[in-house]
Amino acid sequence: MTPPPATDIRGLLDRYERPLVRYAQSIVGDLESARDVVQDAFIRYARIISGEVGGDDAMQPARTTNEAEAVSEVALDPSDTRHVEAWLFTVTRNRALDHVRKYSRIIPMPMPEERMSEEPGPDEELASSDAADWLLKLLDALTPNQREVIRLKFQNDLSYKEISDITGLTVTNVGFLLHVGLKKLRTLLREAPLDAIPIRLRTAL
Amino acid sequence: MSYDDPKFTAYALNELDANECAEIERAILVQPQANAEIAETREMAGILRETLKTETAPALCEHHRDAVFRAASIAGKAANLPLENVVVTGQPAWWQRAGFWQLATACLVFAFGVYAIGVSLGGSGLKGDGVVQVRDVQKVQIGNLAANDDARIEADPSLKVPMVSTREGTPSVATDFNATNTIQPGVVSVPNDLVDKLQPIATKGPHVVDPNDPLASFKARADIGKKSPVKAIAPLAISPHEQVVLRADNGEVKLTGDEANRYFSVREYLDVRWREASSLHEGSTYAELSRIFRHESYADGIHRFVMIRCPSIKVGVSFVSKENKEPEWPLPADTKIRTISQPYFEPEFGN
């Protein structure tokens, strides 16, 4: 599908709103906040391509006190439709992380280890016959950044380079996270009892 | 190179250039098991692509899309750049919908004047279809203001002005409203630090909140009655260079666009919080309640539950007591709610 022109706001919304909301939700947790985040990203986009605000400003990295977490600035290039997509993902991600940082001060989120100990892990959920649900539970066993790059790669068909631009990770790091994440998923699949694995997933063993 | 190298995964996912591919293919020749690894990686990748794309991908709500279109429209016109397919029509804003203005009209006691004066954008004006024309108009008069004791400031239904915040992404300065990124036609509330400026021009009176629909009453009217400070509500849309002037017979207060925008509270944001609060019911647990509300106890023995993300929303809660005695806080996580009031809205600006 040909991406819409950069000035076609409605076309861009139609094309990207769902993937972006899903991506934002994977970061912020709740749907309404995810929608707010995506709306903000699109408003930002509209204002930048109209020249009302500068593109560099829009690509400010996620605000954080930890300099090491800051991602490099990338200006919006509306002439490159692939870049527009990556830009929208980047701004969505930054806004979503802002949101998480803000509210995590108020509502402490469980650490991944804690959550895994409290919730049924993949081994306990083998009864599920739905491959998608089952796979999503497997993903929970990965680290957050492994999950994120896997989602960006396989759910949104982004390249290593685009994922690197979005996350601020190096391309090498993106490759490493995907490598380790995929390997871990395969290991988890192998360790699960065969008869509990959805048939669709058994082919990966 | 070991076949456990991330480059093999990159090769399997077609992420390498020709030179790197050749390098991997040479390595495969001396490590036959690498082929199996690559095949497994591709199989896993295929499954991930197929299954992850079936995960629910919700769309934005209409009001989110409207906000985007409005921002695009106003920004595009400001830059004289026709954005394709940006037409703000159809879906009316909340204050334009049926029912709202019947309520508003009933409450309207006096007229209220707000002037939006464009400065560097060359002025601000209004035309149909909800699109703000930001060129060639120097002044927009929304209404006239004359106050009496029980006067209320009302939004003007004829005004169709999208809100443009200069501070998107930055929360409102008001602690009880968080205008996080949501740019909507909304209300401007005047918080404490502007009350001193506004008091000389307004009479005072009690703030009225309908307990059955606090959000509606809040957005629909702001009392400038005898007891509470001014709470002005108007569907203002202030571009960064515009200025809002609140005017009465005996004075005026000027707010710059940036200043005024900081005080927009946003109905959609409150609606979200409202729905969140309403999800609790009898039989919900204390743990579920605590995810949304913070328990506060006071010296006089009063306990309140204040919404964590919107402290203006509160609920009254009683719990099922196993031992029929005064509970000790915090309650056990599995304690069941016996009764829970409708969330009520308690504006915290003003005194």
Side-chain angles (χ1 to χ4, degrees), chain A residues 47 102 151 153 157 179, chain B residues 4 9 15 53 168 178:
Chain A
R47 298 181 69 186
K102 182 177 174 194
R151 278 182 181 279
K153 177 69 188 165
D157 294 325
H179 174 73
Chain B
D4 191 29
T9 299
E15 285 281 349
K53 285 177 181 172
E168 10 167 313
N178 185 340

Side-chain angles (χ1 to χ4, degrees), chain A residues 64-95:
Chain A
T64 172
T65 53
N66 184 354
E67 289 298 322
E69 288 179 44
V71 295
S72 59
E73 290 185 24
V74 182
L76 172 62
D77 176 8
S79 65
D80 180 348
T81 51
R82 288 295 291 179
H83 179 74
V84 167
E85 179 184 12
W87 186 95
L88 285 168
F89 270 94
T90 307
V91 175
T92 297
R93 180 178 192 270
N94 288 347
R95 299 291 162 102

Side-chain angles (χ1 to χ4, degrees), chain B residues 42 44 49 58 68 76 80 86 119 134 150 164 175 178 194 197 232 240 271 273-274 296 300 330:
Chain B
R42 284 180 172 156
M44 192 74 225
R49 278 197 185 91
V68 173
N80 203 17
V86 175
V119 181
V134 291
D150 57 350
V164 174
T175 55
N178 185 340
L194 284 179
K197 291 182 184 177
D271 272 348
R273 306 283 83 84
W274 180 256
E296 288 183 355
D300 55 2

Side-chain angles (χ1 to χ4, degrees), chain B residues 86-315:
Chain B
V86 175
V87 182
V88 185
T89 56
Q91 183 72 16
W94 56 265
W95 45 272
Q96 292 172 277
R97 291 174 189 153
F100 173 77
W101 283 108
Q102 283 82 336
L103 171 65
T105 303
C107 298
L108 189 60
V109 179
F110 77 109
F112 162 61
V114 174
Y115 294 84
I117 303 171
V119 181
S120 67
L121 290 179
S124 174
L126 302 173
K127 285 191 176 178
D129 295 335
V131 178
V132 166
Q133 308 294 316
V134 291
R135 302 173 68 83
D136 305 322
V137 179
Q138 294 303 315
K139 184 187 289 185
V140 177
Q141 179 172 342
I142 299 172
N144 302 309
L145 177 64
N148 56 31
D149 282 352
D150 57 350
R152 297 185 177 97
I153 295 176
E154 294 288 346
D156 186 322
S158 66
L159 184 65
K160 299 175 180 177
V161 187
M163 180 189 296
V164 174
S165 167
T166 59
R167 298 173 64 85
E168 10 167 313
T170 307
S172 157
V173 292
T175 55
D176 49 347
F177 298 118
N178 185 340
T180 313
N181 305 340
T182 307
I183 313 303
Q184 291 289 325
V187 298
V188 57
S189 60
V190 182
N192 292 338
D193 60 339
L194 284 179
V195 164
D196 290 343
K197 291 182 184 177
L198 289 169
Q199 272 180 331
I201 68 164
T203 55
K204 296 180 180 180
H207 183 78
V208 178
V209 173
D210 177 359
N212 295 318
D213 189 2
L215 291 178
S217 68
F218 171 70
K219 71 176 170 21
R221 55 179 186 265
D223 300 339
I224 52 170
K226 293 178 179 174
K227 295 178 182 175
S228 58
V230 172
K231 299 172 184 65
I233 291 185
L236 303 176
I238 316 302
S239 78
H241 311 292
E242 286 178 321
Q243 186 180 64
V244 172
V245 183
L246 303 176
R247 241 177 222 166
D249 290 345
N250 53 345
E252 68 177 32
V253 171
K254 293 179 181 176
L255 305 178
T256 64
D258 185 52
E259 187 179 26
N261 280 320
R262 285 187 295 144
Y263 306 125
F264 285 124
S265 60
V266 179
R267 171 176 166 72
E268 276 71 17
Y269 178 81
L270 296 175
D271 272 348
V272 169
R273 306 283 83 84
W274 180 256
R275 285 197 298 275
E276 194 175 357
S278 302
S279 68
L280 294 166
H281 52 83
E282 293 174 15
S284 296
T285 63
Y286 181 71
E288 290 169 316
L289 176 74
S290 301
R291 280 199 286 271
I292 303 173
F293 287 87
R294 178 179 66 245
H295 170 244
E296 288 183 355
S297 59
Y298 297 84
D300 55 2
I302 293 175
H303 297 273
R304 304 172 79 187
F305 284 89
V306 179
M307 194 165 214
I308 293 168
R309 293 164 66 180
C310 185
S312 295
I313 292 180
K314 300 175 174 66
V315 291

Side-chain angles (χ1 to χ4, degrees), chain A residues 7-8 17-18 33 35 39 47 50 102-103 106 135 151 153 155 157 179 183 186 190 203, chain B residues 4 9 15 37 40 43 51-53 55 57 59-60 65 79 84-85 165 168 178 181 308-309:
Chain A
T7 54
D8 181 0
E17 65 174 325
R18 289 176 183 274
S33 298
R35 284 174 166 149
Q39 173 197 271
R47 298 181 69 186
S50 71
K102 182 177 174 194
Y103 290 111
I106 301 171
L135 199 62
R151 278 182 181 279
K153 177 69 188 165
Q155 200 166 47
D157 294 325
H179 174 73
K183 199 171 166 187
R186 283 159 51 198
R190 282 198 199 98
T203 56
Chain B
D4 191 29
T9 299
E15 285 281 349
E37 283 287 321
E40 277 192 38
E43 179 68 25
T51 52
L52 285 178
K53 285 177 181 172
E55 190 183 13
L60 293 174
R65 290 173 66 95
E84 296 171 35
N85 296 328
S165 167
E168 10 167 313
N178 185 340
N181 305 340
I308 293 168
R309 293 164 66 180

